[in-house]
Amino acid sequence: MRAAAIVVLVLAAAASQATAGDVAWPGNHPLSQAQTGDVMVAELRCAACHAGVEDGSVLSKSAPDLTTVGSRVSPDYMRRFLASPSAAHPGTTMPDVLASRSKEDRDRIAEALTHFLVSQSKGTFSAEWDAPIHLASGKALFHSVGCVACHGPREPLADAPAGGELGEGDDDDDDEEEDNDRPTAPPVTPTAIPLGHVGEKYSVTSLSDFLFQPLRTRPSGRMPDMKLTPAEAAAIAGYLIGDGQGKHGEFFPGESLVAEGKKYFRELNCAACHALPGIEPAPRLVSLAKADLARGCLSSTSGAGPRFQLTESQANAIGASLRAQPEAEPASLAIAKTMTAFRCIACHVRDDYGGVPEEYNLFFTSSEHNLGDDGRIPPPLTVVGAKLRPEWMKKVLFDGESVRPYMATRMPQYGSANLRHLPPLLSETDVVTSPAMNIPPAENRSPSEQSLEKELRAAGRELLGDKGLSCVACHTFNGKPAIANQGMELMTTYPRLLPEWFNRYLRNPGEFRPRTVMPSAWPGGVAIHKTILDGDTDKQIAAIWYYLSLGTSAADPSGIKQVSTKLAVGDRTEVHRGRSRVAGFRGIAVGLPEKLSYAFNAETGTLTAIWTGDFVSVNWSGQGSGDFQPSSTPVLLPQDVSFAYLTDARAPWPLKPVMTKEAPTNPDPLYPKNVGYQFRGYFLGHAGVPTFQYRIGTIDVEDQSVAATARSTAEHQSLTRMLTLRSPSPQTVWFRALTGQIRQESDRVFASESLRLTIPEAEMRLRPLPGEPDLSELLLRLDVPEGNSTLEFAYELLSE
């Protein structure tokens, strides 16, 4: 078979026979030919070279960052790719800028460009990988976290995980007539972006680094961040490369070839897509509005210009887009284009398009089989703008917030720059009507409203318990497990959902989730439970809403099992995740073999408590989502963010919002995102010690704490906290090291009543806390250099 017959754009890999949209783009999308062309114009960056290309709802796909390409990509692969992009990487969107040249010229120019590009990188490409490659783990992760949605499975369907369409609680002998009534997906060949080139292009090291933080290299977001830990990224990288590791010999750029490559980089106008310091792109060409589309980039014989490997349907779609008259784009179309371009609809259904293809269905799995499809298939996006509160939608899109820990597939992160237009469009477009359930503000409630609130909250508690609708039999409640299925945490309901959607969903869950296992307690609008609130449907649903609005302060409904278990630490570090009064909603407790323990608040990136003796008690079976509390009295530290950008030393520290029963609404729901913090997970090192990973602004932080045996004594135990900061440029950030009644013992040693802290060398400020004249806070001004830097803190527990 000729190469040209198999070389197609990545955006048409496994070309679709979609019935809903134009065949130029794969998948079950709703776009017409011209609309599909609009998306492809953004994918191919036509506006980088041509004037007259209108900006659309989908941002043009930005090209990869080449400033580090020499440390990321094999020079041998780079040379072959530049000589013929589609031959080295079938499916690439990179045009062949040397298409009209002879083979000798192509090879010569590609060689020079390779020398030039490698010379731009500070690091060098390394094929070395000392750690073991866990192929089985990589295979499992690739086929479970969501990679298959865009890349397709790399294994036979027979190797798919067990528990596909039917879970353990499903009856596979359902009535045949009922099965025939179920909606069926249109016959669409799913997307399968090829990955056969990765073994020649990357080493395990460089591919692992890319998979861990893909948006750094490719900010366009078409390859999303899958929230992988370094260990997970390494496992997938090892699995993808496998035995396909290419030739990766040493490479040393030659001075004359570097100069020649730089000349070609300018001449070929590579800077139109790839920005490099000191090289400006050429002026854009004439408008495409009146261009002869049978010639140039869209043709198979493009003359001296770049050549894209386009199918006829793709060229026709782009042509239709360029010929179409500009017109105002409704929000619904902008949403459809965005969800098509970023392949949201490879996993999610929106209206009558999208969804998991049948061929990939079995690779979407869950740890809670009894939840059926709800437990393993990402939720529908139909009317999602009327479902999620705007602040929660941003948490999902930009922070990776998840309320379905049982679902193996992860919500990818495309970057706020690419999708920040989407939440307001969804809010504008999606509407759900139902009875209002607005809870009056605490400070403005009348006596009658206060009385109604008390009545409704009591009824809501009864309805959720085992004497009412028994919701707690299938839903986790405030970190406490359900008796049967471990369904979604009910405490996320109020901060996550809009009241109109919640009201409508409870009345008829199947309206929004056709195959949900969630029953209706009000079929046809009539309450099943008649003794609570006289069977008034509106009041019962409102009662549940009022009760859940209390958040974590809500008293437990009847039927919740309270099981307390003590966790012990042996000769290996123990890590336990869950809620805690000493570490917040996303607490992580770490127990060290030296009988020293600490808690970390992953929501704010803060060390919040240290204690000695026994580890923790959990309120059920010791599993990860159970609440935990220290087994001995802890030394408490603040829950607020530890890092922040301050305008000067007098600027107030950004504090964590405080909510009460009287004022349950979060006044700053995007804290700590608003101050630049984002948790990135953690990995386990020697003896199981965790290293927490988070980001503050553009600084990546690795945070590890271990027992300081050399500093510890029989009376005083010490914890050494080591922070590694990686910054793309020099910058200043502040660190809040300690609060309370602080006394300074020396230049670098400060103490409170129960803790002595030794800080690294840095400019420090000891200033009073606002409104607390007897209390202080110790701030460090950190001048963070470009690259890696380290900080070390020593926390010594003092005897009472």
Side-chain angles (χ1 to χ4, degrees), residues 1-287:
M1 180 183 294
R2 290 182 302 137
I6 62 171
V7 177
V8 292
L9 281 172
V10 73
L11 49 84
S16 163
Q17 298 300 317
T19 58
D22 187 76
V23 296
W25 190 279
N28 180 24
H29 66 85
L31 305 182
S32 68
Q33 184 184 56
Q35 293 162 359
T36 300
D38 294 343
V39 173
M40 292 175 62
V41 165
E43 291 295 298
L44 299 181
R45 288 185 56 82
C46 299
C49 292
H50 292 278
V53 179
E54 296 289 332
D55 290 332
S57 52
V58 179
L59 293 176
S60 290
K61 178 182 175 182
S62 56
D65 180 2
L66 296 184
T67 58
T68 60
V69 70
S71 61
R72 192 174 68 248
V73 175
S74 159
D76 181 69
Y77 173 86
M78 195 187 309
R79 185 188 298 113
R80 291 185 291 106
F81 179 77
L82 292 170
S84 179
S86 58
H89 178 187
T92 183
T93 54
M94 166 81 173
D96 189 344
V97 296
L98 303 176
S100 63
R101 312 275 184 136
S102 67
K103 184 180 184 307
E104 291 75 14
D105 281 351
R106 295 164 70 96
D107 291 342
R108 177 176 53 81
I109 296 172
E111 180 74 21
L113 285 170
T114 300
H115 281 254
F116 169 65
L117 292 174
V118 171
S119 74
Q120 301 301 297
S121 298
K122 294 181 180 179
T124 58
F125 183 82
S126 173
E128 299 298 323
W129 181 258
D130 297 330
I133 294 177
H134 302 288
L135 292 178
S137 176
K139 172 183 174 180
L141 284 165
F142 180 89
H143 290 91
S144 62
V145 299
C147 307
V148 294
C150 292
H151 296 289
R154 291 169 56 86
E155 307 292 339
L157 193 61
D159 288 350
E165 184 171 331
L166 296 176
E168 292 179 0
D170 290 321
D171 181 4
D172 58 3
D173 294 323
D174 284 349
D175 184 84
E176 183 175 346
E177 182 178 350
E178 180 183 339
D179 284 343
N180 290 336
D181 289 339
R182 292 172 177 168
T184 57
V188 177
T189 301
T191 303
I193 298 171
L195 294 174
H197 65 292
V198 296
E200 299 292 328
K201 180 177 182 179
Y202 297 103
S203 66
V204 175
T205 301
S206 65
L207 180 57
S208 174
D209 289 344
F210 170 68
L211 293 176
F212 179 55
Q213 293 182 319
L215 296 180
R216 277 196 163 180
T217 303
R218 300 186 180 182
S220 69
R222 271 54 167 189
M223 170 62 195
D225 187 334
M226 296 302 296
K227 306 290 285 185
L228 300 172
T229 66
E232 290 173 334
I236 294 177
Y239 166 68
L240 291 177
I241 289 178
D243 297 330
Q245 186 89 12
K247 297 185 299 180
H248 302 311
E250 288 188 300
F251 184 89
F252 302 99
E255 185 176 345
S256 61
L257 284 172
V258 168
E260 185 179 355
K262 184 174 183 179
K263 181 193 74 170
Y264 283 121
F265 195 89
R266 293 181 187 275
E267 179 182 307
L268 297 169
N269 196 26
C270 303
C273 292
H274 301 278
L276 283 180
I279 302 180
E280 296 296 325
R284 289 193 294 177
L285 304 176
V286 295
S287 172

Side-chain angles (χ1 to χ4, degrees), residues 618-667:
V618 297
N619 67 3
W620 65 286
S621 303
Q623 296 186 25
S625 61
D627 293 358
F628 72 83
Q629 305 301 343
S631 292
S632 60
T633 303
V635 174
L636 298 178
L637 299 166
Q639 301 274 349
D640 316 295
V641 290
S642 290
F643 287 95
Y645 292 94
L646 302 182
T647 54
D648 55 53
R650 297 183 300 275
W653 194 259
L655 301 179
K656 184 178 180 181
V658 176
M659 290 164 286
T660 64
K661 181 183 290 189
E662 291 71 27
T665 302
N666 190 340

